[in-house]
Amino acid sequence: MQLAVIGTGYVGLVAGVGFADIGNDVVCVDVDETKIARLKRGEVPIYEPGLDALIETNVKAGRLTFSTDITTAIRAAEVVIIAVGTPPAADGSADLSAVFSVAETIGKNLNGFKVVVTKSTVPVGTADRIEERIRRHTTQPFGVASNPEFLKEGAAIEDFMKPDRVVIGSNNARALEVLRNLYTPLVRKSEDIHEMDARSAELTKYAANAMLATRISFMNDLAVLSEKLGADIERVRKAVGADPRIGPKFLYPGAGFGGSCFPKDISALIQIGQGVGHELEVVRAVESVNKRQKRLLFEKLRRHLDGALEGRTVAVWGLAFKPQTDDIREAPALVMIRELLEAGAKVRAHDPEAMNNVRAVLGDRITYCENMYEALEGADALALLTEWQEYRQPDFERVKRLLRTPTLLDGRNIWDPKALRALGFWYTGIGRP
Ligand code: NAD
């Protein structure tokens, strides 16, 4: 099939290369000229394991190209996939301006039947609004479908190429058939493709993210309770997760969830509910617990230092919102760093992949260290915010030698409190006695 993927970010790039890899002809389009120029030179603008090799193979095979020319891409395509950003607007709702601008361009360039697929996460009812915007410009036939994406950054290729499930929603039978054919090579069995109407598909994406975020906030809330009661949330987590009705995933307490999806999708879902007069009380609580949780580590450090943060130096390990990505959107590390700077502390930071992105936001307000141990030099405390593998078993003797005072804040509960206390550290994690 001839595909045009509009928006070449984490989702569009992975989807584009994934569809090319199974034999389709794909052009990935973006308004960001620098991004497209880099991709044309063979550079990959994001860090995603395995992505560079897959792009190289498919570009060489002539199945994958990059362009800023949206008109030509649309006119040549049988399927146009919208994968542009839908960032939060000031009121928390999803900003759909990029989605609608693409829809208008599609309408103006329709030259025969095309399937217009929304992969961006969009509020319920957006498919109808896209259809209406295309219809303003054309009498040509077309089908609109919602095809939310469930990939996880850091494991995006695997998730895209071997999805647990694919959701396609449309009220147009021809569009559903085209998408079923497109996805059939990727799924294990045909039942893994869930066909439904567009509104249900749009809601499925928010429901899935809200459910995952609910598990995290629930455990974070219980972690705070555990600490007050002298219980150990790690023991609780393992035992609760052993119940097959609950399962072990997404029960990890930590420094709060970040990323480009959960925070924004949750606030958008709250707005969607309010739009039809329904207050989503559980989702509201998920959001407020998360906001509190993102400040928890900072508060712990402030208490430990009796409020005396002015002039102190804090080492931060991990800036990305989770391991295996360079994405720092809504990352808990940024909340902690901003609090520290505001309190007059200095920050020495390390991350294997995300430092350039943080530099673009914070500039030289903090010190970036190429080596994780360098970040500790002269620091009064070490805070771990992202559980990259290389932080799991550091040389703690060296850590202790480099720190001015042996203080550890483990925002992901990856270290052993007993062993560290035996080594002479002051240790605090999340929800552990
Ligand atoms: P992103 O910011 O990485 O990429 C979006 C891209 O769209 C950017 O490169 C931007 O330049 C481009 N763009 C913006 N306006 C455009 C226009 N008018 N024409 C062409 N290109 C345009 O975003 P992302 O993380 O890839 O997310 C895209 C969508 O997918 C969002 O709705 C997001 O919620 C959803 N989503 C993201 C993930 C994820 O893990 N990142 C997972 C599932 C769903």
Side-chain angles (χ1 to χ4, degrees):
M1 271 185 237
Q2 292 280 343
L3 310 184
V5 180
I6 317 297
T8 308
Y10 288 87
V11 168
L13 188 54
V14 170
V17 72
F19 284 132
D21 202 54
I22 54 170
N24 297 288
D25 279 323
V26 181
V27 51
C28 282
V29 179
D30 206 286
V31 281
D32 185 338
E33 289 176 8
T34 316
K35 193 177 261 189
I36 294 298
R38 287 185 66 188
L39 283 160
K40 281 184 172 171
R41 284 200 300 270
E43 292 170 29
V44 182
I46 54 169
Y47 173 73
E48 182 60 51
L51 186 58
D52 42 4
L54 209 61
I55 290 178
E56 198 185 332
T57 312
N58 285 282
V59 168
K60 273 200 182 132
R63 291 187 296 261
L64 180 65
T65 54
F66 302 102
S67 174
T68 50
D69 181 358
I70 183 168
T71 320
T72 307
I74 289 169
R75 297 181 76 84
E78 299 163 73
V79 180
V80 182
I81 298 170
I82 305 176
V84 298
T86 50
D91 65 353
S93 66
D95 177 350
L96 296 176
S97 52
V99 171
F100 290 146
S101 132
V102 174
E104 303 265 354
T105 313
I106 294 171
K108 289 176 194 158
N109 290 285
L110 218 63
N111 53 347
F113 182 82
K114 291 178 201 299
V115 181
V116 178
V117 187
T118 313
K119 209 170 235 324
S120 303
T121 303
V122 293
V124 181
T126 303
D128 297 339
R129 297 173 71 193
I130 289 174
E131 186 161 348
E132 187 257 316
R133 277 176 163 75
I134 297 174
R135 183 69 64 214
R136 282 180 196 169
H137 304 281
T138 184
T139 52
Q140 295 271 354
F142 63 94
V144 169
S146 159
N147 167 223
E149 181 51 59
F150 299 100
L151 63 76
K152 302 184 287 293
E153 285 175 21
I157 307 282
E158 174 85 2
D159 288 349
F160 190 82
M161 301 307 280
K162 295 180 192 158
D164 302 319
R165 83 308 206 178
V166 169
V167 171
I168 49 180
S170 181
N171 307 329
N172 181 302
R174 198 165 159 196
L176 282 177
E177 193 192 334
V178 169
L179 287 179
R180 199 183 311 124
N181 290 338
L182 182 63
Y183 274 107
T184 295
L186 296 177
V187 294
R188 273 161 288 225
K189 47 189 192 308
S190 58
E191 303 89 86
D192 293 341
I193 300 180
H194 296 258
E195 291 184 25
M196 56 189 80
D197 59 281
R199 283 175 182 254
S200 303
E202 288 164 341
L203 185 56
T204 300
K205 175 65 192 176
Y206 286 103
N209 274 358
M211 176 58 111
L212 294 171
T214 300
R215 286 172 71 101
I216 298 174
S217 272
F218 177 75
M219 289 305 285
N220 281 338
D221 213 13
L222 284 193
V224 173
L225 182 70
S226 283
E227 222 168 287
K228 287 184 191 288
L229 297 174
D232 183 349
I233 194 68
E234 286 302 317
R235 304 254 171 200
V236 176
R237 171 178 69 74
K238 286 178 193 148
V240 168
D243 182 333
R245 292 172 303 177
I246 296 171
K249 293 184 180 171
F250 273 79
L251 292 183
Y252 290 81
F257 57 77
S260 66
C261 291
F262 286 5
K264 104 174 150 52
D265 291 351
I266 274 168
S267 63
L269 184 56
I270 292 168
Q271 290 284 327
I272 290 168
Q274 285 171 347
V276 289
H278 181 64
E279 200 63 57
L280 288 159
E281 291 179 34
V282 174
V283 186
R284 262 194 178 291
V286 169
E287 186 177 56
S288 62
V289 165
N290 195 52
K291 281 189 178 144
R292 186 191 66 198
Q293 198 72 10
K294 279 178 161 177
R295 299 192 67 252
L296 187 76
L297 229 47
F298 170 77
E299 288 301 340
K300 279 180 174 238
L301 180 62
R302 185 159 66 178
R303 266 202 312 275
H304 177 62
L305 296 175
D306 290 325
L309 276 158
E310 177 99 44
R312 303 273 187 150
T313 300
V314 178
V316 173
W317 278 1
L319 302 171
F321 85 93
K322 67 173 181 181
Q324 299 287 55
T325 182
D326 60 352
D327 197 342
I328 57 159
R329 289 178 279 188
E330 305 281 338
L334 291 186
V335 175
M336 171 111 189
I337 290 172
R338 287 201 171 101
E339 296 277 5
L340 288 168
L341 293 176
E342 211 152 286
K346 295 190 188 72
V347 174
R348 296 174 64 80
H350 175 267
D351 187 283
E353 296 295 338
M355 287 202 291
N356 282 342
N357 284 341
V358 173
R359 203 177 272 119
V361 178
L362 292 179
D364 55 9
R365 296 177 67 200
I366 66 171
T367 305
Y368 304 91
C369 304
E370 289 304 324
N371 178 293
M372 60 194 250
Y373 292 104
E374 190 192 325
L376 310 176
E377 287 166 15
D380 297 283
L382 164 61
L384 176 119
L385 273 295
T386 319
E387 67 279 29
W388 285 96
Q389 286 293 58
E390 63 204 85
Y391 301 147
R392 285 188 182 269
Q393 214 166 49
D395 177 351
F396 279 112
E397 296 287 358
R398 193 171 166 197
V399 171
K400 198 173 163 204
R401 270 200 314 276
L402 289 167
L403 286 174
R404 194 149 50 190
T405 44
T407 302
L408 297 179
L409 298 113
D410 177 2
R412 300 290 167 186
N413 287 355
I414 62 171
W415 295 327
D416 178 353
K418 249 196 202 150
L420 291 171
R421 285 178 189 134
L423 276 176
F425 283 99
W426 181 87
Y427 169 95
T428 187
I430 309 285
R432 306 168 111 178

